[in-house]
Amino acid sequence: MIHFPVTNSNLSATHIGLFLQEKYSFSKDTKSQFIRAGINDTYLVTDNNEKFVFRVYSLDWRTRIEIEEEINLLKELHQNKISVSYPLPDKENNFIQTLNAPEGNRFAVLFTYARGEKLHIISAETHFQIGQLMARFHKLTNNRKINRVNYSPEIILIDSLKQIENFLTAGSEEMNFMKSCQKYLLSEFEHADISKIRQGIVHLDIWFDNINVTDKNEVTIFDFDFCGNGWLCLDVAYYIKQLHNVEKYELKDYQPKVDSFIKGYESVIPISIEEKRLIPMLGVSLLFFYLGIQCQRYDNWSNSFLSENYLKRFINGIVRRYCDIHKLGDAYSTNE
């Protein structure tokens, strides 16, 4: 029988465990558990009392060079005592594994396990700690570049909306809003005072789902899959936007926690007035970006939830609402 070609597969957790025993000299008691299918697949690996995370990249999602750049960044952050989940070499000192999956060769990397747990609602004190940690990361990566994507307005706003257009009806109220919003944001960024905006290496996905916190309030950031180059305030904007989304039903708690996060950040490195002015706009822009990613990865990730109705709910309930709260809506019309 001829095997029918596939575009995506879930690799056996049992066999991942056996593979790791051989490659990393783990014990025969090593267990592997498939815990998340997503843009990449994630396995929790347990060897006696030690935990690790094995990430299997989706086919053609990241090049070997891009993964090497992520690995080198994480190694440097770890060496500088910045609390991140970092990659581990196998017994032959290789960091990247190549797995011959049914759809083709997929890359994989073993990472340390971030101690603690994800917290949906975080105290102001912990937001302060997260702000400090982000700022220490930015202080190290300020004015530097890696061989990965440059998060330009074109990448974040233009390319993303092209992806969204494949799922959202042209001429709909929501699409008209997105196009008008895009036009406004592109103009704002074009006229921004670049001399007052720090540039460097960004994480671009720091939020509660990529942070673990211990009962001693120790914070670890993980999942640098979207790391690249851009304005450092992109990370600040995305974190604040996600904080708003989590606290949207308890807005009385929102601003004190934002203030605590900013205070923690600025205890390490200042945020310019121009960066602060742009933060709400950058938050909206990153909503464009991640909606674009969801649409781009429809075939093997987002199809279980993404639809035109989902996009309309997201745009009206999150994008438009965030614009309204920050009075960005006064600056553009929803009519083309």
Side-chain angles (χ1 to χ4, degrees), residues 171-204:
S172 65
E173 179 183 351
E174 290 78 14
M175 180 53 77
N176 288 342
F177 168 80
M178 293 293 279
K179 287 186 174 181
S180 297
C181 188
Q182 179 199 62
K183 181 179 179 180
Y184 161 70
L185 293 169
L186 287 171
S187 177
E188 286 290 325
F189 298 151
E190 182 181 357
H191 295 97
D193 186 352
I194 304 298
S195 67
K196 299 293 192 297
I197 303 172
R198 295 163 298 140
Q199 301 194 45
I201 304 169
V202 295
H203 182 290
L204 210 76

Side-chain angles (χ1 to χ4, degrees), residues 20 23 26 35 45 70 103 117-120 140 145 183 199 205 207 236 241 258 274 323:
L20 294 174
K23 285 288 184 178
F26 285 166
I35 58 173
V45 180
E70 178 189 356
E103 63 269 32
E117 61 179 340
K118 297 177 185 179
L119 300 178
H120 189 70
L140 184 66
K145 294 190 73 171
K183 181 179 179 180
Q199 301 194 45
D205 200 15
W207 66 303
V236 177
K241 169 64 203 79
V258 171
E274 179 69 347
C323 288

Side-chain angles (χ1 to χ4, degrees), residues 275-294:
E275 289 174 325
K276 289 179 179 178
R277 183 183 74 85
L278 293 171
I279 280 174
M281 303 174 206
L282 292 171
V284 174
S285 299
L286 290 172
L287 291 173
F288 273 71
F289 176 73
Y290 278 108
L291 275 180
I293 294 294
Q294 291 176 16

Side-chain angles (χ1 to χ4, degrees), residues 320-333:
R320 189 190 292 268
R321 186 171 187 269
Y322 200 60
C323 288
D324 289 344
I325 284 173
H326 290 282
K327 297 182 169 50
L328 301 182
D330 296 339
Y332 56 79
S333 167

Side-chain angles (χ1 to χ4, degrees), residues 72-307:
N72 291 334
L73 172 63
L74 288 169
K75 287 164 63 179
E76 182 179 2
L77 294 176
H78 174 61
Q79 289 165 2
N80 281 272
K81 301 187 184 307
I82 295 175
S83 183
V84 296
S85 167
Y86 55 91
L88 295 170
D90 64 17
K91 59 187 180 184
E92 296 179 354
N93 206 35
N94 296 314
F95 284 90
I96 301 177
Q97 308 300 329
T98 302
L99 307 180
N100 185 15
E103 63 269 32
N105 289 336
R106 295 173 62 178
F107 298 122
V109 176
L110 183 72
F111 295 91
T112 58
Y113 184 82
R115 292 182 302 118
E117 61 179 340
K118 297 177 185 179
L119 300 178
H120 189 70
I121 302 297
I122 297 174
S123 69
E125 180 184 359
T126 303
H127 285 296
F128 183 93
Q129 299 294 331
I130 295 168
Q132 282 192 323
L133 182 55
M134 182 189 292
R136 290 178 58 213
F137 161 51
H138 285 170
K139 190 172 183 179
L140 184 66
T141 65
N142 189 26
N143 289 322
R144 292 179 52 191
K145 294 190 73 171
I146 54 176
N147 192 9
R148 291 192 66 147
V149 60
N150 296 312
Y151 286 114
S152 64
E154 181 177 2
I155 293 289
I156 293 174
L157 286 167
I158 297 176
D159 292 352
S160 298
L161 192 56
K162 288 178 182 177
Q163 294 287 345
I164 297 168
E165 285 174 343
N166 294 323
F167 296 87
L168 192 58
T169 300
S172 65
E173 179 183 351
E174 290 78 14
M175 180 53 77
N176 288 342
F177 168 80
M178 293 293 279
K179 287 186 174 181
S180 297
C181 188
Q182 179 199 62
K183 181 179 179 180
Y184 161 70
L185 293 169
L186 287 171
S187 177
E188 286 290 325
F189 298 151
E190 182 181 357
H191 295 97
D193 186 352
I194 304 298
S195 67
K196 299 293 192 297
I197 303 172
R198 295 163 298 140
Q199 301 194 45
I201 304 169
V202 295
H203 182 290
L204 210 76
D205 200 15
I206 297 177
W207 66 303
F208 77 85
D209 204 40
N210 291 329
I211 295 171
N212 273 4
V213 183
T214 69
D215 54 8
K216 296 181 179 179
N217 213 31
E218 298 166 326
V219 177
T220 302
I221 298 174
F222 53 93
D223 194 354
F224 279 67
D225 184 46
F226 279 96
C227 67
N229 309 296
W231 294 348
L232 296 182
C233 51
L234 280 166
D235 279 339
V236 177
Y238 185 71
Y239 186 83
I240 291 174
K241 169 64 203 79
Q242 291 291 358
L243 174 55
H244 175 267
N245 197 38
V246 169
E247 299 280 354
K248 61 186 176 183
Y249 299 113
E250 294 292 342
L251 287 180
K252 67 180 187 300
D253 298 328
Y254 166 68
Q255 195 58 50
K257 290 182 178 181
V258 171
D259 293 343
S260 184
F261 166 72
I262 294 294
K263 186 176 180 180
Y265 189 101
E266 292 199 302
S267 71
V268 177
I269 188 170
I271 304 172
S272 72
I273 294 174
E274 179 69 347
E275 289 174 325
K276 289 179 179 178
R277 183 183 74 85
L278 293 171
I279 280 174
M281 303 174 206
L282 292 171
V284 174
S285 299
L286 290 172
L287 291 173
F288 273 71
F289 176 73
Y290 278 108
L291 275 180
I293 294 294
Q294 291 176 16
C295 293
Q296 178 186 347
R297 292 299 302 270
Y298 180 81
D299 287 349
N300 65 352
W301 172 48
S302 62
N303 56 68
S304 63
F305 63 85
L306 193 141
S307 64

